């Protein structure tokens, strides 16, 4: 693994968004329908606020919500409810069997939620670094809507499989995921905060290995933002 330079803007971006990526990746393990989506949205809105505050910026609540994006989970609400309800009988299974089944069922959803947060967070920080959003333009939704539309268009053009594979390797082998399963079995986790920080640091280092991907992603974002016109999100 090639060590990153100590003052790399890309590594700094990865380090900033990594804790929110980790938190997003754990939200599908919340066994209550609707509460998982609420937690995911809170994580992404907190990320937006922190990235704005890093630049000394504030934004109205509606603008923060817009920049956080709206990405409902795949499948209907009925399918989501049925999927979570199906997990309840697993409390009667052995801990080993419970963890194995739950991991198989939810790890893809965990990776998907983490990946969306990663892409949105990195590109939003890139936009703020470029000055695409300022305190003046944040007062109205037009600039935020244009930036978010460019972020969405850029993300739709890339093949995220290499990055998602890195996320899968880290999340599937993490104590955080095992701790989340333990909570479902009423076993309290230990040292969760420390493990979150450790996983976020490992994630940032792993994503540095995919720096070419993220530089290309930034270029696509700039192309869409600088286009003469952009369709609304």
């Amino acid at each position: 693994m090639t060590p990153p330079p100590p003052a790399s803007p890309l590594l700094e971006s990865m380090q900033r968004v990594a804790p929110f990526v980790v938190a997003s990746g754990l939200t599908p393990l919340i066994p209550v329908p609707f509460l998982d989506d609420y937690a995911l949205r809170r994580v992404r809105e907190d990320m937006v606020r922190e990235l704005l505050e890093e630049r000394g910026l504030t934004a109205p609540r509606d603008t923060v919500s817009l920049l956080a994006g709206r990405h409902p989970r795949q499948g209907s609400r009925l399918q989501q409810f049925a999927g979570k309800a199906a997990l309840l009988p697993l409390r009667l299974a052995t801990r080993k069997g419970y963890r194995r089944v739950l991991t198989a069922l939810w790890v893809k959803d965990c990776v998907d939620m983490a990946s969306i947060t990663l892409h949105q967070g990195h590109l939003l920080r890139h936009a703020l670094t470029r000055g695409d959003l300022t305190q003046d333009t944040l007062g109205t939704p037009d600039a935020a809507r244009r930036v978010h539309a460019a972020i969405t268009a850029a993300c739709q053009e890339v093949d995220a499989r290499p990055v998602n594979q890195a996320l899968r390797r880290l999340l599937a082998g993490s104590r955080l995921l095992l701790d989340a399963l333990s909570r479902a079995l009423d076993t309290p986790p230990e040292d969760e905060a420390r493990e979150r920080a450790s996983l976020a640091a490992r994630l940032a280092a792993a994503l540095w290995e995919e720096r070419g991907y993220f530089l290309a992603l930034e270029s696509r974002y700039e192309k869409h933002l600088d286009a003469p016109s952009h369709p609304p999100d």
Side-chain angles (χ1 to χ4, degrees):
M1 181 177 292
T2 305
S8 165
L10 179 57
L11 179 63
E12 186 178 273
S13 179
M14 297 296 99
Q15 292 170 335
R16 282 286 183 178
V17 303
F20 299 101
V21 174
V22 171
S24 294
L26 295 176
T27 57
L29 297 176
I30 298 174
V32 182
F34 300 99
L35 183 58
D36 55 344
D37 282 347
Y38 172 77
L40 177 64
R41 185 150 192 85
R42 285 291 302 271
V43 169
R44 290 180 177 161
E45 289 181 351
D46 286 347
M47 177 181 69
V48 170
R49 290 189 183 94
E50 182 166 307
L51 294 178
L52 290 173
E53 289 172 2
E54 183 186 6
R55 299 283 166 183
L57 303 173
T58 59
R61 182 177 179 179
D62 289 347
T63 301
V64 170
S65 179
L66 172 64
L67 291 172
R70 295 183 180 276
H71 293 273
R73 304 184 194 280
Q74 292 182 350
S76 69
R77 275 293 182 183
L78 181 60
Q79 289 172 322
Q80 293 172 32
F81 184 86
K84 290 186 182 293
L87 296 177
L88 297 179
L90 292 175
R91 287 179 177 272
L92 302 177
T94 65
R95 179 179 302 178
K96 182 178 179 181
Y98 179 81
R99 286 176 173 173
R100 183 172 60 248
V101 173
L102 187 55
T103 298
L105 285 172
W106 293 114
V107 70
K108 183 182 182 300
D109 204 12
C110 292
V111 170
D112 288 344
M113 297 304 103
S115 181
I116 293 171
T117 301
L118 168 63
H119 285 74
Q120 284 194 333
H122 174 67
L123 284 183
L124 176 57
R125 191 172 190 274
H126 179 64
L128 294 170
T129 300
R130 279 169 37 100
D132 296 334
L133 291 171
T134 66
Q135 190 59 65
D136 289 338
T137 59
L138 283 167
T140 61
D142 294 342
R145 187 175 293 112
R146 184 165 171 260
V147 165
H148 180 64
I151 289 174
T152 300
C155 292
Q156 289 173 344
E157 289 183 351
V158 297
D159 181 359
R161 282 178 295 181
V163 169
N164 289 354
Q165 288 170 3
L167 290 169
R168 180 183 296 274
R169 287 192 296 269
L170 286 165
L171 289 175
S174 170
R175 271 188 54 205
L176 282 175
L177 187 139
L178 297 179
D179 285 346
L181 301 179
S182 294
R183 280 196 295 273
L185 292 167
D186 299 322
T187 302
E190 297 179 358
D191 300 326
E192 181 174 311
R194 184 166 57 189
E195 175 61 16
R196 279 178 181 262
S198 174
L199 181 57
R202 298 197 305 272
L203 175 61
L207 294 174
W208 167 255
E209 294 297 308
E210 303 293 339
R211 54 193 176 276
Y213 171 91
F214 288 100
L215 293 174
L217 183 67
E218 292 172 6
S219 296
R220 290 178 182 272
Y221 160 77
E222 293 169 13
K223 178 194 73 174
H224 285 288
L225 188 73
D226 295 337
S229 61
H230 199 86
D233 185 19

